[in-house]
């Protein structure tokens, strides 16, 4: 009976380790994917709008937007978001991603 308990405990430990490793892999993949998406947006924005007056004027509003988790939306940020989406209609990015990209300029 003692041997059966030992084998059962070993099997449970092996299963738990496998589940934890799989969970870690999925979590890591999701995090890396999200960061890559943000990085791609930032790259597109910085290469296209680094000297754009409308976008540069929205930096302070973008900082308030990011710091307030999207609660504060200034007029200059709204104008910049509209301007960016008009120039890059294929860009699939959230307002938060665009605001963070504006901050990198």
């Amino acid at each position: 009976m003692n041997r059966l308990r030992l084998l059962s405990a070993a099997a449970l430990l092996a299963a738990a380790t496998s589940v934890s490793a799989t969970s870690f892999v999925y979590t890591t993949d999701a995090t890396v994917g999200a960061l890559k998406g943000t990085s791609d947006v930032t790259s597109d924005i910085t290469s296209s709008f680094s000297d754009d007056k409308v976008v540069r004027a929205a930096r302070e509003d973008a900082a308030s937007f990011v710091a307030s988790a999207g609660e504060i939306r200034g007029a200059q940020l709204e104008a910049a978001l509209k301007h960016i989406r008009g120039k890059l209609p294929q860009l699939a990015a959230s307002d938060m991603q665009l605001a963070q990209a504006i901050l990198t300029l």
Side-chain angles (χ1 to χ4, degrees):
M1 191 64 153
N2 197 14
R3 187 177 245 184
L4 180 60
R5 285 185 183 171
L6 184 61
L7 287 173
S8 296
L12 285 173
L13 181 61
T17 303
S18 173
V19 170
S20 294
T22 302
S23 176
F24 176 75
V25 168
Y26 288 138
T27 303
T28 303
D29 287 348
T31 303
V32 169
L35 288 174
K36 183 186 179 317
T38 301
S39 175
D40 290 346
V41 169
T42 301
S43 177
D44 288 346
I45 297 298
T46 55
S47 65
S48 300
F49 296 100
S50 62
D51 292 329
D52 193 296
K53 290 180 183 180
V54 174
V55 175
R56 283 189 139 329
R59 284 185 52 120
E60 195 170 310
D61 282 357
S64 296
F65 182 79
V66 171
S68 69
E71 293 294 317
I72 300 172
R73 300 178 70 94
Q76 290 179 324
L77 176 63
E78 290 295 333
L81 295 176
K82 184 177 178 180
H83 180 70
I84 291 168
R85 290 201 168 100
K87 296 271 187 179
L88 297 172
Q90 75 282 4
L91 185 66
S94 69
D95 289 350
M96 184 62 71
Q97 288 174 319
L98 291 176
Q100 290 170 341
I102 291 169
L103 290 175
T104 65
L105 297 176

